[in-house]
Amino acid sequence: MERKNAWEKYDDAKRQVVLDFNEDYKKFISDNKTERECVADTIRRAKACGYRDLDEIIKNGESLKAGDKVYANNMNKTIALFVIGSRPLEDGMKILGAHVDSPRLDLKQNPLYEDTDIAYLDTHYYGGIKKYQWVTLPLALHGVVALKTGEVINVVIGEDPSDPVVGISDLLIHLSADQLDKKGAKVIEGEDLNITVGSMPLTSEEKEKVKANVLGILKSKYGFEEEDFLSAEIEAVPAGPARDFGLDRSMIMGYGHDDRVCAYTSLAAMLEVENPDKTCVCLLVDKEEIGSVGATGMQSKFFENTVAELMECMSQYSGIALRRALKNSKMLSSDVSAAYDPNYASVNEKKNSAYFGRGIVFNKYTGSRGKGGCNDSNAEYIGELRKIMDNNDVAFQTAELGKVDQGGGGTIAYILASYDMQVIDCGVPVHNMHAPWEVVSKVDVYETKCGYAAFLKEA
Ligand code: MN
Ligand code: MN
């Protein structure tokens, strides 16, 4: 039952193919640190491969046929790509789904204030974080500011090497006696995640001169005013690009591998698809880290509505045909898994853990306690997937998230499974999940992309 190390499959020439594939992934996660940036880049990449906007097709009253490639953009935060198959939609689809939101610090609606000649931005954290990890790091600000005029301003501060960065202070060790007696969850508290953004007062006679100076910079450089923060979505994220990790460069350290590593590999596999039998889908969704809620989360009707629109464009729509299309589908719910970490061995059960270097991980179930809240994938479906992986020489492993009763987690799997389709969780193993800088193995990234491609070809 021991799985082999996937690097051993490859000679030096083939290892270079693995390494080269990861160069574009490094660029993808370095450039795209928010759900909006991921969706915009996905649209750019899809268009270059011949995809068209489904909204335009609907507006023009055009019809769709087998082989056509379309995308549907939901509020610039969630996107679905389709390649129309030769078989009718009601025979089912082959779906890859991943999420493009990651844990971070969101600016509050009224964020800017001055205290003791220092200007701060107040935040509300998003997703599950260890708050003490987010202090004394260079942070960048990414997002949008929507003006009353309807104009939307894009903001990225802290990524260009010539940009300033911002960050959150921590208490000096010399005065930390009380702080270090606290529980880990309380060492740094949510309301104390305040980002330092300035300390230079204006030369004029105003009050709050440091804050006024920061506002002047935002106005002149980005064209928005303090009140415009009310209709802004700005995320503070770790600043700087993803880097090769390890002296052998076998891994990547980056922000937001969860779950952009599965989004990227799903997208890469999807963009290779031409003229499939069943319709292929790549679904990249927002809001997974906070429960898949809202219009752009997986629980939204967006996907179901989009499939209905697609069927209408092919004169295949009826209520019952839509339900059959969903029920007859197969899905890989693609999300990261916890990689076994010898530094923290006690939380894992070694026979059923994921390991760096052993390829794509299949999680029959996630959940917590007695499998609470999980999608427990069917044995028959796993049998089929094993065959597809083995036929295509894809390195895969199976795991659950830690020891029984150690904790747990969830994904979007259960939401798609509620349409009565076959769904399993699978993805890339990660060290430091949800930390500002997470780590993946390059060979796992590559094997995962190969696994997704094999699924789209043969499922
Ligand atoms: Mn995830
Ligand atoms: Mn997560």
Side-chain angles (χ1 to χ4, degrees), residues 99 258-259 288-289 335-336:
H99 67 90
D258 178 6
D259 182 34
E288 191 277 341
E289 295 293 358
D335 208 340
V336 294

Side-chain angles (χ1 to χ4, degrees), residues 429-440:
V430 173
H431 271 178
N432 310 345
M433 196 191 296
H434 284 206
W437 297 101
E438 301 172 318
V439 178
V440 294

Side-chain angles (χ1 to χ4, degrees), residues 4 6 142 163 255 262 289 316 349 377:
K4 273 179 60 178
H142 289 234
D163 279 355
Y255 163 67
C262 295
E289 295 293 358
Q316 290 182 16
E349 187 269 283
S377 185

Side-chain angles (χ1 to χ4, degrees), residues 45-61:
R45 287 165 183 258
K47 277 183 167 171
C49 292
Y51 282 75
R52 297 174 58 211
D53 186 347
L54 181 62
D55 285 341
E56 299 271 304
I57 288 163
I58 294 167
K59 203 167 69 190
N60 300 337

Side-chain angles (χ1 to χ4, degrees), residues 200-232:
M200 193 193 293
L202 275 184
T203 47
S204 63
E205 288 299 306
E206 297 171 61
K207 63 178 174 73
E208 297 200 312
K209 294 176 192 176
V210 175
K211 173 179 167 181
N213 192 27
V214 168
L215 282 170
I217 292 163
L218 293 176
K219 178 72 184 168
S220 67
K221 193 140 190 256
Y222 294 95
F224 70 92
E225 293 171 352
E226 185 173 17
E227 203 179 301
D228 298 322
F229 276 120
L230 293 176
S231 48

